[in-house]
Amino acid sequence: MERISKGQILLLAVLAMILILTGVWAVSVWNASSGVEIGRHGWIALGLGTFFSLLIGCGLMALIFFSSRSGHDDSADPFRHKQDKSAE
């Protein structure tokens, strides 16, 4: 196993700092907007946005699955070794 270099440690420290700052910011925004009420149109927009986001995500995952099963991705991967027809 390779050792982690100083540059990688610095990168991990910076990314951890960004993650912590983002979490602190998200909690402060969440607490600052605790008194805001969402109306009927807001709930409808939230529901439709969630539904269509899940629909698009599931549809794209299904396309990836079926594309890899059908063999269309084989020509795009130059590192994949083709199996010998006589071995089957």
Side-chain angles (χ1 to χ4, degrees), residues 29-39 42-43:
V29 169
W30 184 273
N31 289 333
S33 64
S34 62
V36 177
E37 300 251 347
I38 298 178
W43 285 110

Short mmCIF file of all heavy atoms in Angstrom, two decimals, residues 29-39 42-43:
data_model
loop_
_atom_site.label_atom_id
_atom_site.label_comp_id
_atom_site.label_asym_id
_atom_site.label_seq_id
_atom_site.Cartn_x
_atom_site.Cartn_y
_atom_site.Cartn_z
N VAL A 29 -28.57 28.54 8.10
CA VAL A 29 -29.67 28.93 7.21
C VAL A 29 -30.95 28.23 7.62
O VAL A 29 -32.04 28.82 7.63
CB VAL A 29 -29.31 28.63 5.73
CG1 VAL A 29 -30.52 28.77 4.83
CG2 VAL A 29 -28.21 29.56 5.26
N TRP A 30 -30.86 26.95 8.00
CA TRP A 30 -32.04 26.20 8.43
C TRP A 30 -32.65 26.84 9.69
O TRP A 30 -33.86 27.00 9.78
CB TRP A 30 -31.64 24.76 8.72
CG TRP A 30 -32.79 23.88 9.08
CD1 TRP A 30 -33.32 23.70 10.32
CD2 TRP A 30 -33.57 23.09 8.19
NE1 TRP A 30 -34.37 22.83 10.26
CE2 TRP A 30 -34.55 22.44 8.97
CE3 TRP A 30 -33.53 22.86 6.83
CZ2 TRP A 30 -35.48 21.58 8.42
CZ3 TRP A 30 -34.45 22.00 6.28
CH2 TRP A 30 -35.41 21.37 7.06
N ASN A 31 -31.81 27.22 10.64
CA ASN A 31 -32.31 27.84 11.87
C ASN A 31 -32.84 29.25 11.62
O ASN A 31 -33.78 29.68 12.30
CB ASN A 31 -31.20 27.88 12.93
CG ASN A 31 -30.91 26.50 13.47
OD1 ASN A 31 -31.76 25.62 13.47
ND2 ASN A 31 -29.69 26.31 13.93
N ALA A 32 -32.26 29.98 10.67
CA ALA A 32 -32.72 31.34 10.40
C ALA A 32 -34.08 31.36 9.71
O ALA A 32 -34.82 32.33 9.85
CB ALA A 32 -31.70 32.06 9.53
N SER A 33 -34.43 30.31 9.01
CA SER A 33 -35.70 30.28 8.27
C SER A 33 -36.74 29.41 8.97
O SER A 33 -37.68 28.94 8.34
CB SER A 33 -35.47 29.78 6.85
OG SER A 33 -35.02 28.43 6.89
N SER A 34 -36.60 29.22 10.27
CA SER A 34 -37.52 28.31 10.98
C SER A 34 -38.93 28.88 11.10
O SER A 34 -39.88 28.13 11.26
CB SER A 34 -36.96 27.98 12.36
OG SER A 34 -36.86 29.15 13.14
N GLY A 35 -39.11 30.19 11.03
CA GLY A 35 -40.43 30.78 11.18
C GLY A 35 -41.18 30.95 9.87
O GLY A 35 -42.29 31.47 9.86
N VAL A 36 -40.62 30.54 8.76
CA VAL A 36 -41.24 30.74 7.46
C VAL A 36 -42.24 29.62 7.18
O VAL A 36 -41.94 28.45 7.35
CB VAL A 36 -40.16 30.79 6.35
CG1 VAL A 36 -40.81 30.92 4.97
CG2 VAL A 36 -39.20 31.92 6.60
N GLU A 37 -43.44 30.00 6.77
CA GLU A 37 -44.47 29.02 6.43
C GLU A 37 -44.48 28.79 4.92
O GLU A 37 -44.28 29.72 4.14
CB GLU A 37 -45.84 29.54 6.86
CG GLU A 37 -45.95 29.80 8.33
CD GLU A 37 -46.84 28.79 9.02
OE1 GLU A 37 -47.54 28.06 8.32
OE2 GLU A 37 -46.79 28.74 10.25
N ILE A 38 -44.72 27.55 4.53
CA ILE A 38 -44.83 27.21 3.11
C ILE A 38 -46.31 27.12 2.76
O ILE A 38 -47.07 26.40 3.42
CB ILE A 38 -44.13 25.88 2.79
CG1 ILE A 38 -42.64 25.96 3.10
CG2 ILE A 38 -44.35 25.48 1.34
CD1 ILE A 38 -41.89 24.67 2.87
N GLY A 39 -46.71 27.85 1.72
CA GLY A 39 -48.10 27.84 1.30
C GLY A 39 -48.42 26.60 0.46
O GLY A 39 -47.58 25.73 0.22
N GLY A 42 -46.33 26.30 -2.65
CA GLY A 42 -44.97 25.88 -2.33
C GLY A 42 -44.88 24.38 -2.13
O GLY A 42 -43.93 23.73 -2.58
N TRP A 43 -45.86 23.79 -1.43
CA TRP A 43 -45.87 22.34 -1.22
C TRP A 43 -46.07 21.60 -2.54
O TRP A 43 -45.47 20.54 -2.77
CB TRP A 43 -46.95 21.94 -0.23
CG TRP A 43 -46.58 22.25 1.17
CD1 TRP A 43 -47.12 23.21 1.98
CD2 TRP A 43 -45.56 21.61 1.94
NE1 TRP A 43 -46.50 23.22 3.20
CE2 TRP A 43 -45.53 22.24 3.22
CE3 TRP A 43 -44.65 20.60 1.69
CZ2 TRP A 43 -44.65 21.86 4.22
CZ3 TRP A 43 -43.78 20.22 2.70
CH2 TRP A 43 -43.78 20.84 3.93
#
